[in-house]
Every structure is written in structure tokens, then in C-alpha cells.
Amino acid sequence: MKTKYQIIFDDIKSNILSGAYSVGEQIPTELALQETYNVSRQTVRKAILELSNEGFLRSEKGSGTYVSSQFRSKAAGGSSKRTIGVITTYLSDYIFPSIIRGIEGRLNEDNYSLLLASTNNDVAQEKKALEMMLSFGVDGLIVEPTKSNLYNPNIAYYLSFKEQDVPFIMINAYYEELEVPFFCLDDVQSSYLATKELISKGHTQIGIIAKMDDLQGKYRMKGYIKALGEAKLRFHPEQVLSFDTETKQVLSDSLKTFLSENREMLTAIVCYNDEVGLEAVNVCRQLDISVPEDLSIIGQDNSYIAKNANIRLTTLTHPQEQMGRDAAEWVIKKLQGKKDLRNSTYYQPVLVEGETVRELHLP
């Protein structure tokens, strides 16, 4: 539980970092802050004093308290080694260690250090990570967006980086409301190829499991629909199972219901990624559905968990480490003043055959 002083401190700092209070602007008076937060004058003064000590505010006797730019120079002088910030949704699982390894390897070649943060796909944690990067004074930033298919309340922080000429690039997805460079897998093509592979094996009743609060899920759904349309196959809404970051915790239960209700109809499913694909394999075992004899399953991303599972999942490639290297390279070149850098890069996926898809022999 935050103290009242901490709430005032955090709110003013957030307003400065997001640009709601600009450098040189006078903040509300002590009396106004007392009334807003229903606190004593002493509490307000404590917050202002600490913000002043950290270079965020300066007080002029008889005039008021103003936003200072000193925190930027303090941050810049805080480290002799040039630093690139990296914010990803997750750090230690799935494809993220490979992406970070690629970033770190390239940064090390030019003697840049890395400041790492994760959001757990939560916008409140993304806000904290962005504030940390702004406070530290990173030279550049590589970001995997949080819940990229939804409105993001932290856009002001990204605009602050732009105003300060701090180059940043996004990976895996991007915020459509921002003009921002990005490196992404061609997610439409990935799911399109997955669905097309199943169609080529004779499957006509193909379901999809899609995560819909991320842009990747939106585009992977689009690829699935595109492939069905080209093959003149009907889209069945009941053969779609959507989930988001919060409902992922109960995905196994949703999968049991989904596969039980559709077991007489579905012969194949396209999964949002390998993690979901292997979860579907596990649920099939519980329901006595044989993979691939009764149900063919395709994952996406060619992650290490797909390679190391007790069944080789058919999947599509993801650039992983190469994407990390390329993003770091882009930031370094931008800091070196290079012009005409590409603002968008799509990596093309390739099918990786496994043991979870079979050819359907229809009577």
C-alpha cells in the first residue's frame, strides 16, 4: 500500500516523464496539491523536496515550483557506458531468451550495455518500465508492445522519447496509433501457411485458437481466414476459440470444452503459437483424442519448447535471435546518424514439418 507522500511523488514524476508537465512549466501550488490529495502541507513538501533532489523539480522563492530538465542530465551522467533499453512482455520463457540473446550479442559488439525490463503483458507494468527508461536516460529503446491489439494508455511516454530524439523500435508487433519503425514476423503469412498446409492434406474442418489482445493474434486470425477463403471453405465462428492474457490462465479448461464440443466435426486446428499447440496436445491426451490420427495440430514460432517436447510439433519459423540482432543494429545505426533506415521489416515464415499433422483420407 502506497503512502500518501509516495502517491504524490509518483503522480508528479509520471506527469513529467509522460510530458503532461513540460520542462519549465509550473506545477500546481502546495495548497492545490494539499486539496487534491487531502494531505498535510508537510506531506506535499516532502514529495516536492525529493523530486527536487532527483532533478525533476526546482523551486523559485516567491514564485513557485517548476519542472526541471536536470533529471535528464543526471541520468545521462549516471553511466559512462552507453545504454540501450529493452522492454519485452516476458523474459525467461518461450522465444524471448533467444530474442534478448540476439539483442545483447549485437550491442556488445559496439560496447553498449543493456537495461532490461518486462511487462508481463500488463500496461501498468509497461508504464513503470517506460518511466524507468526515461529516468535512467537510455540512449535508445527496443520494445515489444503490451496488448498491442488494444488501445494503449502509455502512448504519451513513447511521444516523450520522440520529443527527446531517443530512437526506439518495436519488435513482434507495434502500436497502430503510432508512426513507429518495427521488425515483425509476417503473422498473416504464418497462419496462412499453417492453414494452407492442413488444406493441402485434405482437411476442410479446421479450427483456430487465437490470442486476441495482441496484434499477432489479430493477424494470425486474418491469415487463417484468408486461406479458408482461397480454398472456398466456409468460416465457422463456432470453430474459433479466442483468449487473451488474462484468460490464458484457464486456457486448458477452455480447450477441453472447445475440443469436446467440436470433436465430431474438427479434424485440425491452427494454434496461436507452439505453447498453445502443446497445450492442445495435452488436452487431447486427457480427452482420449489421438494426435494426429483424430486431430492434426499446427503451432507457430518454432520455439525451443516445440523442439524439446515429447512430440515434434508441426510449426512455422520465427526469426527470434536474428530479429533481436536486427533491432539492435537499427538502433545503433540510428544513433550513429545513419539515414534512410527501413521503417518496417517483415520476416517470412517457413513450415517446419513435425509429427502432429496427418493426411486426411476421405471416403
Side-chain angles (χ1 to χ4, degrees):
M1 184 78 177
K2 284 185 181 180
T3 62
K4 289 182 177 180
Y5 138 77
Q6 191 66 51
I7 291 169
I8 299 169
F9 177 92
D10 288 347
D11 283 358
I12 294 175
K13 183 178 175 181
S14 292
N15 282 330
I16 293 170
L17 291 172
S18 68
Y21 292 161
S22 54
V23 172
E25 183 180 342
Q26 185 175 7
I27 68 164
T29 64
E30 289 182 5
L31 182 60
L33 291 170
Q34 280 179 251
E35 291 174 351
T36 299
Y37 292 97
N38 193 24
V39 294
S40 68
R41 191 173 187 182
Q42 184 182 359
T43 301
V44 169
R45 285 190 165 179
K46 184 182 177 186
I48 289 173
L49 178 62
E50 189 156 332
L51 286 161
S52 299
N53 289 340
E54 292 193 14
F56 288 96
L57 296 175
R58 58 179 174 80
S59 295
E60 292 184 9
K61 201 166 184 179
S63 175
T65 303
Y66 299 83
V67 176
S68 171
S69 62
Q70 195 183 354
F71 75 93
R72 291 178 188 165
S73 54
K74 275 190 173 187
S79 173
S80 58
K81 196 173 185 184
R82 300 167 300 172
T83 303
I84 304 300
V86 177
I87 302 173
T88 56
T89 50
Y90 304 100
L91 292 178
S92 58
D93 56 2
Y94 202 52
I95 60 175
F96 298 101
S98 296
I99 293 172
I100 293 164
R101 187 164 57 248
I103 293 170
E104 191 168 29
R106 180 62 190 89
L107 293 181
N108 285 341
E109 291 171 15
D110 275 52
N111 200 33
Y112 280 91
S113 60
L114 179 151
L115 182 61
L116 199 55
S118 67
T119 68
N120 288 311
N121 218 32
D122 176 81
V123 291
Q125 290 187 50
E126 183 192 42
K127 178 185 174 186
K128 287 180 183 176
L130 289 165
E131 289 184 354
M132 179 183 78
M133 299 298 174
L134 283 162
S135 296
F136 186 89
V138 293
D139 298 288
L141 188 65
I142 298 168
V143 179
E144 186 200 24
T146 292
K147 294 187 177 176
S148 50
N149 197 33
L150 304 179
Y151 163 71
N152 186 280
N154 298 321
I155 293 298
Y157 291 94
Y158 291 103
L159 296 176
S160 285
F161 281 109
K162 278 193 173 185
E163 286 164 12
Q164 294 174 40
D165 290 324
V166 176
F168 66 90
I169 191 161
M170 295 193 168
I171 56 173
N172 281 330
Y174 52 91
Y175 294 126
E176 292 181 307
E177 55 269 59
L178 275 179
E179 290 291 327
V180 56
F182 59 83
F183 286 92
C184 292
L185 177 73
D186 188 336
D187 290 296
V188 175
Q189 183 70 357
S190 183
S191 212
Y192 170 79
L193 289 176
T195 311
K196 201 171 176 184
E197 170 70 5
L198 293 167
I199 293 168
S200 74
K201 293 285 196 288
H203 295 273
T204 57
Q205 298 298 325
I206 304 166
I208 186 169
I209 304 164
K211 186 170 186 284
M212 295 310 294
D213 54 352
D214 286 325
L215 207 56
Q216 297 97 308
K218 171 183 172 179
Y219 288 145
R220 290 180 181 189
M221 174 73 82
K222 185 176 180 180
Y224 162 80
I225 294 169
K226 178 185 174 185
L228 290 183
E230 281 186 7
K232 305 276 195 293
L233 295 176
R234 190 177 162 199
F235 173 81
H236 296 278
E238 66 275 12
Q239 293 179 359
V240 175
L241 174 61
S242 65
F243 69 100
D244 57 30
T245 302
E246 282 69 38
T247 57
K248 184 183 176 185
Q249 306 305 320
V250 292
L251 181 59
S252 180
D253 294 336
S254 301
L255 272 167
K256 282 177 188 171
T257 303
F258 177 73
L259 293 176
S260 295
E261 289 176 351
N262 287 282
R263 69 185 300 165
E264 298 303 319
M265 182 66 74
L266 285 181
T267 63
I269 50 172
V270 174
C271 294
Y272 170 71
N273 62 14
D274 294 339
E275 193 176 17
V276 173
L278 290 172
E279 186 64 41
V281 170
N282 290 334
V283 169
C284 283
R285 287 196 186 107
Q286 295 168 33
L287 296 175
D288 202 26
I289 297 172
S290 181
V291 176
E293 288 75 21
D294 298 329
L295 187 71
S296 290
I297 296 175
I298 291 191
Q300 297 182 70
D301 294 337
N302 195 28
S303 63
Y304 77 91
I305 62 170
K307 297 170 188 172
N308 297 321
N310 53 17
I311 185 169
R312 279 192 304 111
L313 191 68
T314 300
T315 185
L316 281 295
T317 57
H318 183 290
Q320 298 179 32
E321 193 164 338
Q322 187 62 50
M323 176 187 280
R325 278 194 66 85
D326 291 346
E329 173 83 6
W330 188 94
V331 172
I332 289 168
K333 283 186 174 177
K334 196 75 173 174
L335 289 168
Q336 290 171 344
K338 297 282 172 63
K339 306 291 185 186
D340 302 322
L341 293 175
R342 290 180 67 178
N343 281 331
S344 62
T345 298
Y346 286 103
Y347 301 88
Q348 292 306 307
V350 177
L351 184 79
V352 179
E353 291 189 8
E355 305 169 320
T356 56
V357 171
R358 80 173 181 98
E359 190 149 2
L360 199 62
H361 298 289
L362 295 173

